[in-house]
Amino acid sequence: MAENKEIAKRTATEPAKTEERERFIRPRTTVFELDNAVKILMDLPGVSKDNLDISYNRGELTIIGRREKWDREKMRPVYIERFDGGFKRVFAIDDTLDAQKIEAKLNNGVLEIVIPKVEARQPKKIEIKTA
Amino acid sequence: MDLVRYDPFEIMDRIADTFDSLRDIDRWFDFPEFRFLDTFGLYEGEWSPALDMYEDDDAYFVKVDVPGVDPKDIEISATSDVLTIKGVRRIEEGKDKGKKKGKKYEREEIFYGEFHRTVPLPVPIDPDHVDAKIKDGVLYITLPKKEELKPKKINVKVS
């Protein structure tokens, strides 16, 4: 289904903006279709609202942000498995979805985005009037 | 010719994309209940949350990514040399609510179910003074090192 195909952005094909090009990780995401919307769930543990930016532009929904790093001045690492720094994911939104009505909420480290379908496209039940 | 900087981590993205396309195999079979990858159990059973541990002279500091996990479903126990974290991530109430019948997930990368981590501690800690809190889906655990093992500053006296 093409309704929510993610655009795989290869870092190598993007021009290097600065010498120290930042690497973005791709947070785990589940996407599924509801009767009248599409729902995106994304794992963003430790990300506060202030460090998260969601934007829509020309058919692309971009979720970008960062999370705080450990204070390595004061502490020494023993095990490191969690991602540090920036994350980014881009989703293509086609015209069957109403991008003007995108809603997002962040709860317990999980970002939930609901994109309603364009109303005219939704199946409508037509009542038969009796004369 | 453009010079593209060699990115050793790009392979990770490629692997992720390969797995994504592997998931597309599921779409060859138009049975809603049939999932190719599920037959290998890749999306079932126990999962392992990512964990960081840092230390200073006084304590170990642990952060565990447990997004969407109810604090009531987490169980932490510690002995002087092992930290154990157990829990379960339940499918959020209403996650599937209204999900179109017979429709497959467009993308399904989030793990649910039980998780279990056992972390060996390089230096003994004081299990009676372990502190744990949860915020924004991250579990923060502080494990103070045993008093007698903390490095001591020795003053040099001038004779």
Side-chain angles (χ1 to χ4, degrees):
Chain A
M1 271 231 5
E3 261 189 318
N4 214 297
K5 200 181 283 171
E6 188 177 347
I7 296 169
K9 286 217 165 177
R10 290 266 159 71
T11 43
T13 58
E14 287 178 347
K17 285 177 190 118
T18 56
E19 194 56 41
E20 288 297 313
R21 202 153 38 105
E22 186 166 15
R23 277 214 36 90
F24 294 105
I25 72 114
R26 297 155 39 112
R28 284 206 188 102
T29 304
T30 286
V31 180
F32 57 95
E33 191 182 346
L34 310 177
D35 280 334
N36 51 12
V38 165
K39 201 183 230 187
I40 301 172
L41 296 171
M42 188 178 286
D43 276 358
L44 295 176
V47 177
S48 66
K49 213 174 126 185
D50 304 331
N51 287 336
L52 180 64
D53 190 62
I54 304 167
S55 60
Y56 173 82
N57 186 29
R58 295 176 185 219
E60 282 188 3
L61 177 69
T62 305
I63 296 147
I64 190 163
R66 55 175 45 260
R67 82 175 168 184
E68 282 165 32
K69 295 186 176 183
W70 286 86
D71 186 354
R72 292 205 185 188
E73 304 257 304
K74 288 181 191 154
M75 287 183 255
R76 303 177 294 276
V78 184
Y79 305 118
I80 309 169
E81 296 168 5
R82 298 162 71 249
F83 77 85
D84 233 358
F87 59 85
K88 181 184 178 185
R89 275 193 97 148
V90 181
F91 298 90
I93 309 291
D94 70 11
D95 58 5
T96 61
L97 297 174
D98 191 345
Q100 301 309 313
K101 291 180 184 162
I102 298 176
E103 274 182 31
K105 61 180 173 186
L106 192 58
N107 185 24
N108 199 10
V110 181
L111 174 70
E112 185 182 307
I113 296 175
V114 176
I115 314 163
K117 291 180 188 171
V118 174
E119 272 174 35
R121 304 256 183 151
Q122 285 179 33
K124 231 181 205 157
K125 199 177 174 177
I126 293 145
E127 274 183 44
I128 304 162
K129 283 177 195 157
T130 44
Chain B
M1 199 194 126
D2 282 350
L3 269 180
V4 180
R5 210 174 106 184
Y6 171 64
D7 184 350
F9 294 102
E10 199 219 336
I11 187 74
M12 302 306 277
D13 284 344
R14 282 179 192 267
I15 290 168
D17 288 344
T18 308
F19 267 95
D20 286 348
S21 32
L22 200 58
R23 296 231 85 193
D24 288 340
I25 294 172
D26 292 344
R27 293 166 199 182
W28 297 354
F29 309 96
D30 207 18
F31 306 111
E33 303 311 320
F34 185 85
R35 301 266 200 82
F36 174 73
L37 284 181
D38 281 355
T39 56
F40 294 109
L42 269 170
Y43 290 84
E44 281 174 343
E46 289 208 340
W47 58 285
S48 232
L51 178 148
D52 280 355
M53 185 160 95
Y54 277 66
E55 65 173 327
D56 65 10
D57 291 343
D58 299 325
Y60 288 111
F61 303 94
V62 175
K63 286 188 195 177
V64 193
D65 284 348
V66 285
V69 179
D70 190 323
K72 286 186 291 228
D73 289 331
I74 300 173
E75 198 185 295
I76 304 161
S77 57
T79 65
S80 62
D81 53 9
V82 175
L83 167 72
T84 307
I85 304 148
K86 267 195 256 186
V88 60
R89 179 169 186 182
R90 299 179 197 281
I91 291 184
E92 288 115 278
E93 215 176 300
K95 172 184 174 275
D96 283 359
K97 207 168 138 192
K99 183 169 168 279
K100 223 174 173 182
K101 263 205 166 159
K103 279 274 176 192
K104 284 170 277 187
Y105 287 95
E106 299 295 315
R107 202 166 270 277
E108 193 182 7
E109 299 165 358
I110 296 176
F111 297 97
Y112 293 94
E114 286 180 17
F115 61 89
H116 190 161
R117 287 296 307 252
T118 307
V119 186
L121 303 163
V123 165
I125 55 115
D126 179 0
D128 296 329
H129 293 92
V130 174
D131 181 62
K133 62 171 183 167
I134 194 163
K135 189 179 175 258
D136 293 337
V138 179
L139 180 63
Y140 298 84
I141 308 168
T142 308
L143 308 128
K145 290 180 183 173
K146 276 218 168 108
E147 202 64 41
E148 62 267 34
L149 291 157
K150 287 180 190 169
K152 292 222 163 65
K153 203 179 171 184
I154 294 144
N155 289 320
V156 180
K157 286 173 203 156
V158 185
S159 57

